Amino acid sequence: MRDFSQDHRWLSINTATVRKQRGQDWPLPQILDACAARGIRAVSPWRDQVAAAGLEATARQLKALGLALSGYCRGGLFTHTDAAGRQAARDDNRRALDEACALGAPCLVLVVGGLPGALAGKAVHRDLAGTRAQVREGIADLLEDARERRMPLAIEPLHPMYAADRACVNTLEQALDLCDALDPARSGALGVAVDAYHVWWDPKLQDQIQRAGRERLLALHVCDWLTPTTDLLNDRGMMGDGVIDLRQLRGWVEAQGYAGYSEAEIFSSGNWWRRDGGEVLDTCIERHRTCV
Ligand code: ZN
């Protein structure tokens, strides 16, 4: 297992971690500058942040700063109720693929979507199995274009509390079943993003990480699970402040040969988003060394 205690060369910052500090948007160009100034070598930006800063300008800035990507957030949201919705999802996912290519991302992270309408507040039906079938179909369809562009797709299983509205793929096992069905050759074109927040509770976690193997492990996201958790989406903890054994998880992932970045991804409206962005980054560096 790699020693993270001496430096932070394997730290990546998911840029949502510092997206709105003290109530104000922290623009992506400033986030990238602040990361580079601290010797952080990688980031994982979100599409809305890139759109606000401009795709080409962001690509230029990343290059100028020597910053790599550990992923691109995000594609997915495959579920729909009609042909127009299906086509809109297809088009948007292809744009996401093109952006990921332009930025030199190692993978496009997929949050697959939940029951249609649920994210907006009202699900239009209760057909979870049918929704999961749509997700499978959507990934299969996108995978063809992803292969052409040589851009791997990383399915991110989300904690079951998001099954209704954000992602109906909720365990690593379920995500790997999709990988095995759609990419049986383990070509590297399809894999998973292992986010500690979503999978830490799973009694099958170690087994499924072994099953994934190096070809399927495309990203590792870290934060912590707080007790109590006061918001289902935006109360993620800083590494070390909660109950997840992050070092054990990293050990399992690295035992399969994963040698990529550990990406800090913390949505925290009540704590970390209220602080100075530089303080948050400095804390991520310290906790990366001591807790991950
Ligand atoms: Zn994540």
Side-chain angles (χ1 to χ4, degrees), residues 14 46 73 109 156 158 193-195 198 221 236 263 265 267:
N14 183 295
W46 284 66
C73 297
V109 173
E156 180 164 347
L158 260 53
V194 175
D195 185 323
H198 295 304
H221 301 172
R236 291 183 175 213
E263 178 183 318
E265 183 183 34
F267 315 147

Side-chain angles (χ1 to χ4, degrees), residues 76-81 85-86 89 112-117 131-132 134-135 168:
L77 304 184
F78 294 106
T79 60
H80 51 83
T81 52
R86 178 172 181 266
V112 300
L115 295 168
T131 301
R132 286 178 166 149
Q134 280 187 349
V135 165
C168 57

